[in-house]
């Protein structure tokens, strides 16, 4: 018989973080280093200049418990070049990702692949004798579903941008 106290299970979940930073060299490294020190794997990372050329937006997704995400957000706020940071996971938001998917497409199945692509509003952007490259945008779940659908034809290569997200309505990050 042990007197061990049961450790409560903390559920990890996909978290979406939006970080506005000064558009200067090295700031991305400083922000990402905070996640590395906590042992958090960043699942996707998208960085770009905003409507203000002095500001860049970092959108990252991580898999961790909400309490850990909250702790990392507090640390990110302390980085000098960070203007704002917010966990937008629970906020109403629009979220999109772009993927380029190269699929085996011999002549016998090409039309079947293109018909499936229409359902997902994927657009063929390159066609060769043996492959078709499709561009698909949408939620990460939609892109995963598309990849699952075309997997049986043989996916040769995938490039995904990572999620970008904005809070819905007039609110900002």
């Amino acid at each position: 018989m042990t007197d061990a106290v049961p450790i409560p299970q903390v559920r990890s979940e996909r978290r979406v973080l939006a970080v506005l930073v000064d558009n200067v060299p090295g700031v991305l490294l400083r922000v990402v280093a905070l996640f590395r020190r906590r042992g958090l794997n960043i699942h996707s990372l998208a960085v770009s200049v905003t409507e203000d050329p002095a500001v860049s937006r970092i959108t990252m997704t991580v898999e961790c418990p909400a309490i850990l995400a909250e702790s990392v957000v507090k640390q990110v706020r302390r980085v000098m070049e960070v203007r704002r940071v917010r966990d937008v996971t629970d906020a109403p938001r629009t979220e999109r990702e772009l993927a380029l998917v190269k699929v085996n497409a011999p002549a016998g199945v090409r039309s079947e692949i293109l018909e499936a692509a229409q359902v997902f509003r994927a657009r063929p952007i390159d066609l060769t004798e043996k492959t078709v490259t499709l561009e698909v945008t949408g939620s990460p779940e939609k892109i995963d579903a598309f990849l699952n659908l075309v997997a049986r034809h043989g996916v040769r290569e995938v490039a995904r941008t990572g999620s970008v997200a904005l809070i819905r309505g007039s609110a900002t990050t």
Side-chain angles (χ1 to χ4, degrees):
M1 196 166 212
T2 64
D3 294 331
V5 177
I7 299 171
Q9 294 290 324
V10 180
R11 189 173 62 103
S12 286
E13 58 188 87
R14 181 178 179 271
R15 310 297 303 180
V16 180
L17 306 176
V19 186
L20 295 178
V21 298
D22 293 340
N23 187 15
V24 295
V27 66
L28 177 62
L29 179 61
R30 285 186 278 286
V31 170
V32 169
L34 292 172
F35 289 84
R36 183 184 56 82
R37 276 187 235 137
R38 290 296 194 111
L40 292 174
N41 184 31
I42 298 172
H43 289 268
S44 78
L45 179 69
V47 184
S48 182
V49 172
T50 65
E51 69 283 358
D52 178 353
V55 178
S56 289
R57 174 184 295 274
I58 302 171
T59 306
M60 57 178 62
T61 61
V62 295
E63 186 86 18
C64 70
I67 190 80
L68 183 55
E70 184 181 325
S71 173
V72 173
V73 164
K74 287 177 183 174
Q75 288 185 329
V76 170
R77 282 191 184 114
R78 293 187 201 139
V79 174
M80 191 165 40
E81 297 89 352
V82 171
R83 294 179 177 211
R84 284 183 275 172
V85 58
R86 183 170 175 192
D87 182 345
V88 297
T89 305
D90 300 322
R93 66 182 187 281
T94 55
E95 182 178 349
R96 294 290 182 267
E97 185 173 333
L98 177 138
L100 301 179
V101 183
K102 186 181 296 183
V103 181
N104 291 326
V109 297
R110 186 171 297 158
S111 62
E112 180 184 339
I113 293 169
L114 293 175
E115 285 176 22
Q118 286 180 342
V119 172
F120 285 84
R121 296 185 184 153
R123 206 166 53 99
I125 57 171
D126 187 46
L127 187 63
T128 67
E129 287 183 30
K130 296 180 180 176
T131 65
V132 60
T133 301
L134 301 152
E135 170 190 284
V136 59
T137 59
S139 69
E141 295 81 13
K142 174 185 171 183
I143 292 172
D144 289 341
F146 179 71
L147 288 171
N148 286 334
L149 182 69
V150 296
R152 66 188 168 107
H153 298 292
V155 174
R156 296 179 67 110
E157 199 168 22
V158 175
R160 295 174 76 154
T161 61
S163 290
V164 293
L166 289 177
I167 296 172
R168 297 189 71 184
S170 58
T172 59
T173 302

